[in-house]
Structures are given as C-alpha cells and as structure tokens.
C-alpha cells in the first residue's frame, strides 16, 4: 500500500482507522476503511456506532462484542454511556460484554494495543521522521528534490568548465 503522509489524512479518518485497528483489523485495512468512512460518519459515539456496525458487517461472525466493549471502555477510556451508544446496546449489556471477557486481556494488552493504535498516526508505518534513534531520515519527496538539485548543480558546473576550456 502506498504511504500517505499523516498531514494528508484527515483527523477523522485517522481516528476511525485507530478504532478499526483496535477492533482487530490490520493497520493497512483499517486506514483504507478509515478514509472511506470518514466522509460518511459524524464525530462522536453516534458516528462511531456506524464504524462499529460497518466493521461487524465485514468480519466473519459479526465481530467480538466483548472486545468492542473492552476497547471502548478500557483502552479508549470512554464512559459507559458513550460506549453503549457506540455499540448500539444498553449499559447493562455493555457490562455483560465486559464480564464475559474475564481475564482475557490484561494491562500489557492495553499498552500493546495503545501502541499499535499510535502507529496509525505515525508517518512511514510507525517510524518517525527527522532526528531520532535511527538518525536523520528524509521522506521520498525530499530525496528526489535533493537528487534533482544535485544533478542540476553538477550539470551547471560541468557547463562552466567546458565553457572555460573553450575560451
């Protein structure tokens, strides 16, 4: 999948992609569906409900309600009211979904999922550009620009040398 810079992706599409990824979709698929759904859903729990319903339609078996409840309440920290509205269920049903999880997820799972969701926002598939532990990295457009400027300068120097040789 071609890389789309973070600045070219609307905030709503990134938020939807994070939610879809948290619900179990691979990052690339989540980003693709996030861009598609961004223009169709409103902000807030009612819009998230459409995202979750869309996810349920695309997943075999209709999705995992327990995981949905865990993601919304524990990972994202939503209120019972907002999480229940997004899942299109009552608060008591939401609590029931959370109870069915038992000890399936722990704090390490929460941290790992939050880290994976943060990668959706990062440029270049989770690598930060600029200074960092991997050194200074330039994105593809800048590489091409630097290459073209270098070629033009080299040709200019070559032309000046040839002209000076004729004189």
């Amino acid at each position: 999948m071609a890389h789309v810079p973070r600045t070219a992706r609307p905030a709503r599409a990134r938020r939807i992609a994070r939610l879809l990824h948290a619900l179990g979709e691979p990052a690339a698929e989540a980003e693709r569906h996030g861009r598609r759904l961004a223009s169709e859903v409103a902000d807030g729990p009612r819009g998230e409900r459409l995202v979750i319903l869309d996810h349920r339609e695309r997943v075999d078996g209709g999705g995992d309600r327990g995981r949905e409840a865990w993601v919304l309440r524990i990972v994202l920290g939503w209120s019972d009211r907002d999480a229940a509205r997004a899942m299109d269920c009552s608060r008591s049903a939401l609590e029931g979904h959370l109870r069915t999880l038992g000890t399936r997820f722990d704090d390490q799972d929460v941290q790992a999922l939050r880290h994976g969701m943060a990668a959706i926002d990062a440029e270049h598939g989770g690598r930060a550009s600029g200074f960092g532990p991997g050194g200074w990295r330039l994105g593809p457009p800048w590489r091409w620009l630097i290459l073209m400027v270098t070629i033009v300068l080299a040709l200019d120097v070559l032309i000046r040398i040839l002209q000076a040789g004729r004189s």
Side-chain angles (χ1 to χ4, degrees):
M1 179 175 147
H3 169 69
V4 178
R6 179 181 187 266
T7 55
R9 293 177 285 168
R12 183 179 295 167
R14 290 192 314 270
R15 190 185 71 249
I16 292 169
R18 282 192 305 268
L19 176 59
L20 291 172
H21 183 59
L23 294 175
E25 293 190 23
E29 246 182 80
E31 287 194 52
R32 184 168 47 88
H33 290 296
R35 283 190 303 273
R36 178 180 58 85
L37 291 170
S39 63
E40 299 174 15
V41 300
D43 285 330
R46 290 193 170 117
E48 308 299 347
R49 177 185 336 171
L50 296 175
V51 172
I52 292 171
L53 293 174
D54 181 78
H55 169 74
R56 287 177 186 169
E57 288 177 9
R58 289 183 284 105
V59 173
D60 293 334
D64 181 350
R65 303 299 191 280
R67 182 182 174 98
E68 291 171 8
W70 174 72
V71 165
L72 296 175
R73 283 289 295 124
I74 308 302
V75 178
L76 298 177
W78 288 16
S79 68
D80 285 343
R81 179 177 170 253
D82 287 344
R85 182 176 289 153
M87 289 183 60
D88 199 26
C89 67
S90 67
R91 290 183 198 176
S92 57
L94 176 75
E95 291 172 13
H97 293 309
L98 287 170
R99 275 194 303 273
T100 61
L101 292 176
T103 58
R104 183 170 151 196
F105 299 113
D106 61 14
D107 289 339
Q108 289 179 338
D109 294 321
V110 172
Q111 293 305 318
L113 188 53
R114 286 179 180 159
H115 179 72
M117 290 168 59
I120 295 287
D121 280 343
E123 294 188 43
H124 306 294
R127 292 188 327 247
S129 61
F131 291 102
W136 194 57
R137 297 185 193 128
L138 292 174
W142 293 108
R143 288 181 192 152
W144 284 109
L145 179 63
I146 290 170
L147 178 65
M148 295 304 294
V149 167
T150 304
I151 290 171
V152 167
L153 288 174
L155 288 173
D156 183 54
V157 169
L158 182 63
I159 290 170
R160 288 175 191 239
I161 291 171
L162 291 174
Q163 286 176 347
R166 282 194 222 163
S167 304

